[in-house]
Amino acid sequence: MPEISNEKSYADGKILQHATDGVGVITFNNPDKRNAMSLEMWEGFGEALTTLRDDDAVRVVILRGAGGKAFVSGADISQFEKTRHNAAASEEYARRSVAQRALLADYPKPTIACIQGFCLGGGMQVAMLADIRIASQDSQFGIPAARLGIAYGYDGLRHLVSLVGPSWARLLMYTGMRIDAAEALRIGLVERVFPEGELWGETMAIAETISQNAPLAIKAAKITIAQVLKDESARDMDAIKAIGTACMDSADFREGRQAFMEKRKPKFQGK
Ligand code: COA
């Protein structure tokens, strides 16, 4: 990976974060354990997400794993004996990790999971919460909850079912099997697959395109798609209307129109 100047570190360096040219990057950095997530890492992940969320210069966030072998290999199983050995302990564990995932679920900016290698269990949960998943050809995906005796939970399964449908969700959950990138692409778990050497460049190219587009228009798409996925009775149509109005009254819409007429690249400000 190229040298990075403005890097911040959380969870003793196991979560890294930096931002360049409107693109924020969070790196799961525990390659010796295939980036398995400890509770400290979940909390560091939450801090990194919050920092990038509150940085006005950041328009899109990429999540990736360090070491080339894994995105995230799931929760750190070595912590389970202490922190997740029964229902009561699991509840406390869930409370601490769910809070960080909720930040990602409600993230106001577009997010991309850049997946190389193993993406398992809790790693799948993170990847499925991202808006878009881009993977390398050597990636592998699975949720081995049935091999460990773990209930995967409502939020994780809701996303799995919405991406791959109930039958594939059952096959994956009942067997705990791993599938490769080609199969993940075919069933809709990931959107694009590239050779290992091209993954980062291709992911950055998508992120840069997003970061140069009109932030309010992207926000409108993000909010509206999230509402489409809800039951009709739970949909917040006012939120869709409000962002639509903000968009159509924005300086960026003026800039977009003008730039098109003047045959130049627009310069958007997010207002
Ligand atoms: N929790 C804790 N440690 C993990 C881990 C996890 N989820 N995944 C990997 N590790 C550790 C291994 O214990 C091993 O540690 P060691 O070097 O001290 O023995 C190290 O990471 C490397 O793993 P290893 O199995 O030797 O590498 P591999 O490349 O052959 O296989 C995996 C990688 C990810 C396929 C395999 O480690 C695995 O199946 N991990 C568990 C995945 C899982 O069940 N996740 C769901 C948790 S809810």
Side-chain angles (χ1 to χ4, degrees):
M1 284 174 202
E3 195 151 312
I4 291 155
S5 58
N6 61 351
E7 192 162 68
K8 290 197 179 110
S9 142
Y10 306 88
D12 277 337
K14 293 192 170 72
I15 298 288
L16 302 173
Q17 170 236 297
H18 73 274
T20 8
D21 296 335
V23 180
V25 179
I26 297 176
T27 307
F28 303 105
N29 183 38
N30 192 9
D32 287 349
K33 284 195 176 187
R34 305 293 181 264
N35 305 325
M37 293 287 282
S38 62
L39 269 179
E40 297 71 30
M41 285 172 71
W42 280 120
E43 285 169 349
F45 177 47
E47 287 177 68
L49 280 172
T50 305
T51 305
L52 292 176
R53 183 195 65 194
D54 297 342
D55 182 343
D56 286 341
V58 171
R59 293 188 175 175
V60 52
V61 174
I62 301 176
L63 311 175
R64 67 175 177 182
K69 289 189 177 160
F71 174 69
V72 169
S73 67
D76 184 337
I77 301 170
S78 69
Q79 283 197 327
F80 284 9
E81 207 43 50
K82 247 193 183 155
T83 56
R84 222 178 169 187
H85 51 280
N86 60 26
S90 277
E91 206 149 301
E92 171 61 12
Y93 181 98
R95 194 186 56 75
R96 286 173 67 185
S97 62
V98 163
Q100 321 309 327
R101 285 196 294 274
L103 277 173
L104 183 55
D106 297 329
Y107 214 62
K109 300 177 183 182
T111 52
I112 304 173
C114 173
I115 301 161
Q116 181 169 8
F118 295 110
C119 178
L120 303 173
M124 282 272 288
Q125 230 168 338
V126 172
M128 290 189 297
L129 281 171
D131 289 327
I132 301 161
R133 285 145 294 283
I134 316 280
S136 64
Q137 279 168 346
D138 65 348
S139 306
Q140 290 202 40
F141 303 81
I143 302 178
R147 291 168 185 251
L148 289 158
I150 291 176
Y152 198 60
Y154 178 79
D155 284 332
L157 286 180
R158 184 165 65 88
H159 287 106
L160 184 66
V161 172
S162 79
L163 287 172
V164 305
S167 294
W168 258 106
R170 291 186 189 106
L171 182 56
L172 289 168
M173 295 310 296
Y174 294 176
T175 62
M177 73 199 280
R178 277 193 227 145
I179 60 171
D180 63 16
E183 187 124 66
L185 183 65
R186 196 174 60 74
I187 68 174
L189 189 55
V190 303
E191 280 67 59
R192 289 208 144 160
V193 172
F194 295 103
E196 291 77 83
E198 293 169 27
L199 176 68
W200 184 245
E202 294 285 353
T203 307
M204 274 303 281
I206 291 171
E208 278 160 6
T209 301
I210 294 172
S211 80
Q212 285 159 21
N213 279 340
L216 284 174
I218 291 170
K219 198 170 173 188
K222 180 154 179 160
I223 288 174
T224 308
I225 292 166
Q227 297 303 322
V228 169
L229 291 174
K230 291 184 180 172
D231 283 340
E232 202 172 339
S233 62
R235 271 183 211 146
D236 185 352
M237 298 308 283
D238 291 343
I240 296 174
K241 182 146 186 15
I243 186 67
T245 305
C247 232
M248 302 315 281
D249 281 344
S250 68
D252 279 352
F253 179 38
R254 249 189 338 267
E255 165 67 4
R257 291 193 310 262
Q258 253 170 27
F260 179 82
M261 296 312 289
E262 292 164 14
K263 299 193 188 307
R264 62 172 172 83
K265 221 172 151 204
K267 214 167 159 10
F268 293 121
Q269 295 173 42
K271 49 189 182 193

